[in-house]
Amino acid sequence: MHNLKNGKGSFKGLIGECMFKMTDKYVVITRFFNKQKYFSIFGKYLSHVQAEFVDKYWFSIDAIKISFENKIKNIIIYEIKTRNKYSRIRPHWKTKFTQSTIDIYEEALKIGFNVRVATVWLLDDWNYKIELKDFQDADYCIDKPKKYDLNSWAPGACVKEG
């Protein structure tokens, strides 16, 4: 028998993105949504600078949502992380980000996006819960760059503490 919690690699993250989408019908998972179609439907809600940002980083953004609460527009970009929930507390295991991801989301904040980290916690028997944090409040460490990242990496930047 296979167990998703034992899986590694991008498929586990992809499954987590789908699980997150199931919790909010207004979230758009960028890898599954055509960029041109997105702009034809939602482009009118983005400023010119925001539209350029979304176009440039479409494949780096995990999800995006535009909502109107009390007639106030709120555009949220999500970084979705899929993690195993263990019975023991492991506070030294921080969420990993590449420096490239951090740079992208810091730029997003400067041009008026809200940026949140959505952690999909995998529980037993396909149960899961979603934890949302503002990007500025997320406890993370810098991981080695992915193959597609062009930025340099400082070895040992993402180590377990304690």
Side-chain angles (χ1 to χ4, degrees):
M1 180 174 290
H2 300 281
N3 185 331
L4 178 62
K5 287 177 145 184
N6 295 333
K8 299 200 183 314
S10 61
F11 290 118
K12 186 173 172 181
L14 183 91
I15 292 167
E17 289 177 15
C18 294
M19 295 168 97
F20 177 66
K21 167 64 178 157
M22 291 190 317
T23 66
D24 189 335
K25 67 180 181 179
Y26 297 109
V27 166
V28 171
I29 303 294
T30 56
R31 79 170 68 225
F32 299 121
F33 206 94
N34 179 281
K35 183 170 42 169
Q36 284 69 36
K37 182 177 179 182
Y38 180 85
F39 280 108
S40 71
I41 298 169
F42 301 106
K44 62 187 171 192
Y45 302 113
L46 302 171
S47 71
H48 178 72
V49 172
Q50 289 173 328
E52 285 181 338
F53 176 89
V54 171
D55 183 54
K56 180 178 180 181
Y57 295 115
W58 183 256
F59 295 106
S60 298
I61 296 169
D62 290 338
I64 188 168
K65 175 182 173 181
I66 300 175
S67 66
F68 295 89
E69 297 173 22
N70 300 322
K71 298 185 180 184
I72 297 173
K73 179 177 64 175
N74 187 23
I75 306 171
I76 305 168
I77 292 177
Y78 293 97
E79 173 68 16
I80 303 169
K81 297 294 187 178
T82 306
R83 300 182 69 187
N84 296 334
K85 187 71 173 180
Y86 295 102
S87 57
R88 286 189 339 181
I89 297 172
R90 294 182 170 110
H92 56 280
W93 285 10
K94 297 181 179 187
T95 301
K96 296 178 182 178
F97 288 99
T98 63
Q99 186 61 54
S100 177
T101 300
I102 292 167
D103 294 344
I104 289 168
Y105 291 135
E106 285 178 349
E107 182 181 340
L109 289 168
K110 290 176 186 172
I111 59 173
F113 288 108
N114 290 313
V115 180
R116 293 199 180 134
V117 178
T119 302
V120 178
W121 288 103
L122 300 176
L123 309 173
D124 293 327
D125 297 324
W126 279 94
N127 292 305
Y128 66 100
K129 70 178 186 176
I130 306 294
E131 178 182 80
L132 293 172
K133 288 188 178 180
D134 287 333
F135 176 71
Q136 304 94 310
D137 299 331
D139 189 19
Y140 61 84
C141 61
I142 298 173
D143 195 10
K144 62 184 175 183
K146 305 297 180 216
K147 290 180 182 178
Y148 50 81
D149 286 335
L150 300 175
N151 294 342
S152 61
W153 173 67
C158 197
V159 296
K160 294 179 183 175
E161 298 170 2

